[in-house]
Amino acid sequence: MKKIILAVFLLTAFDALYSQPDSTAYGDIEIYLIDSYITPEPPHKFVLSYFTSDSCTSKLVNDKNEFVVSKKLTDNHKTEIALEKLNTANNIVYFRIFVEDRDGNISESQLYDVDVPQNMNIAAERDAGLLQMCCFGGIIFGLPAPTLVMKGNEKFFALSKEIPIFSFYTTGYNYPFGYISAEYSYIFKSDKKNFFRTGYKQIFQLEFIKYASAGVNYFTDFEGYNGISPEISLGLFQIQNVFTVFTRYRYNFQPDRSGTDFHELSIGLYSNFFSINF
């Protein structure tokens, strides 16, 4: 009974952590951010929408640039801004929202940031040819993840490659909230070498690192060794705003057979380059 109460408490706290609305940094009017993303197809636009707790006018401030969002008093604010008008230093758009009520009182939001979509190349200094970039990106994308496999007292080296097949988005294009993937692993010097996996991963974007992910997979060696593999991953940092270096722990087991489980620790690159986005 104590374990059930503890589990309910942890789930409630976790849900509260990720369901808190964006709050006002200064002032009396609350600002609730709804959408903030850059359209992936040209002409690229920054799309922004938010609600306020009272009717007010509002504007967006990006570095030294100001853009009027609502000239008239309203609690529903929307705008689209051409991307070339914004400061995109380091391929990130930083902005604040300022609102003014009917009495002239000004409220200010916290500092927000939006990553430029991963499939965009807006940096003028990139003079490499398109073919070179595609080849380089393809080589990087194809790199497998080195993995340490632990079976009882034995340790093996393995290589794995995961490809996100379907990615699911809500309001932004930084990372999906979840994706379905397929993966192939080869374990050297093991009696069972080849494994295929498919599963679902849930992504939670964080401030101090890129993301945390929890997932579960079905795996098989196509010779009767089938099982389940829950996992957790941490997205540490990005390379060229396209690839994210991650580290992952995974536990593999067969629900109907004991003594056949094994553990994995790996480091690799995440990218939804070839994913079908929803």
Side-chain angles (χ1 to χ4, degrees):
M1 184 63 182
K2 291 182 178 179
K3 292 182 178 179
I4 295 176
I5 294 175
L6 178 59
V8 172
F9 173 77
L10 291 175
L11 288 173
T12 303
F14 189 82
D15 180 70
L17 175 64
Y18 285 97
S19 61
Q20 292 177 353
D22 295 309
S23 60
T24 305
Y26 172 79
D28 297 327
I29 297 180
E30 295 291 331
I31 300 170
Y32 303 97
L33 191 65
I34 305 301
D35 270 334
S36 61
Y37 65 91
I38 298 170
T39 56
E41 300 297 332
H44 303 291
K45 297 179 180 180
F46 174 59
V47 179
L48 176 68
S49 65
Y50 50 93
F51 289 117
T52 52
S53 59
D54 196 2
S55 295
C56 56
T57 60
S58 66
K59 65 181 179 180
L60 176 148
V61 176
N62 163 246
D63 196 14
K64 298 180 180 179
N65 304 316
E66 293 188 4
F67 304 90
V68 175
V69 178
S70 300
K71 294 182 179 180
K72 298 181 179 180
L73 295 174
T74 182
D75 60 359
N76 187 3
H77 309 261
K78 298 179 180 179
T79 189
E80 292 184 1
I81 302 171
L83 186 59
E84 59 265 21
K85 295 182 179 180
L86 299 172
N87 184 349
T88 57
N90 299 319
N91 287 345
I92 300 177
V93 176
Y94 293 98
F95 67 96
R96 292 183 188 272
I97 298 168
F98 291 82
V99 300
E100 183 175 349
D101 64 16
R102 56 178 53 86
D103 297 322
N105 299 314
I106 296 176
S107 299
E108 173 186 344
S109 77
Q110 66 188 60
L111 180 65
Y112 298 109
D113 63 87
V114 176
D115 289 346
V116 174
Q118 297 177 357
N119 62 343
M120 286 178 53
N121 177 19
I122 65 171
E125 63 271 15
R126 294 180 185 176
D127 56 358
L130 179 60
L131 179 60
Q132 290 179 314
M133 294 182 62
C134 290
C135 291
F136 177 76
I139 292 173
I140 298 298
F141 179 81
L143 289 176
T147 303
L148 175 64
V149 178
M150 293 161 283
K151 295 182 179 180
N153 296 324
E154 296 182 294
K155 296 181 180 179
F156 304 93
F157 176 73
L159 292 175
S160 300
K161 184 58 189 176
E162 177 188 73
I163 299 179
I165 305 299
F166 302 106
S167 298
F168 307 98
Y169 289 86
T170 51
T171 59
Y173 285 85
N174 299 344
Y175 291 98
F177 70 81
Y179 65 93
I180 296 174
S181 66
E183 179 180 349
Y184 170 74
S185 300
Y186 183 84
I187 305 177
F188 294 87
K189 298 182 180 180
S190 173
D191 55 340
K192 298 183 181 300
K193 294 180 170 60
N194 300 284
F195 285 91
F196 173 79
R197 290 181 177 86
T198 183
Y200 175 78
K201 319 296 171 66
Q202 186 80 20
I203 290 180
F204 306 97
Q205 296 188 53
L206 304 176
E207 293 184 359
F208 53 95
I209 57 175
K210 289 301 180 178
Y211 66 80
S213 172
V216 63
N217 309 277
Y218 168 79
F219 71 83
T220 180
D221 69 344
F222 298 106
E223 295 181 355
Y225 188 74
N226 310 316
I228 306 289
S229 56
E231 66 176 57
I232 55 174
S233 301
L234 297 177
L236 303 178
F237 58 89
Q238 283 189 322
I239 299 176
Q240 294 295 319
N241 203 35
V242 176
F243 304 99
T244 301
V245 177
F246 71 86
T247 182
R248 176 174 61 203
Y249 166 75
R250 181 156 55 198
Y251 175 61
N252 305 268
F253 69 98
Q254 292 182 290
D256 57 342
R257 294 178 60 186
S258 61
T260 61
D261 56 326
F262 61 96
H263 307 262
E264 293 178 70
L265 289 174
S266 58
I267 186 168
L269 296 174
Y270 163 81
S271 176
N272 63 346
F273 205 72
F274 296 106
S275 176
I276 300 174
N277 299 330
F278 294 94

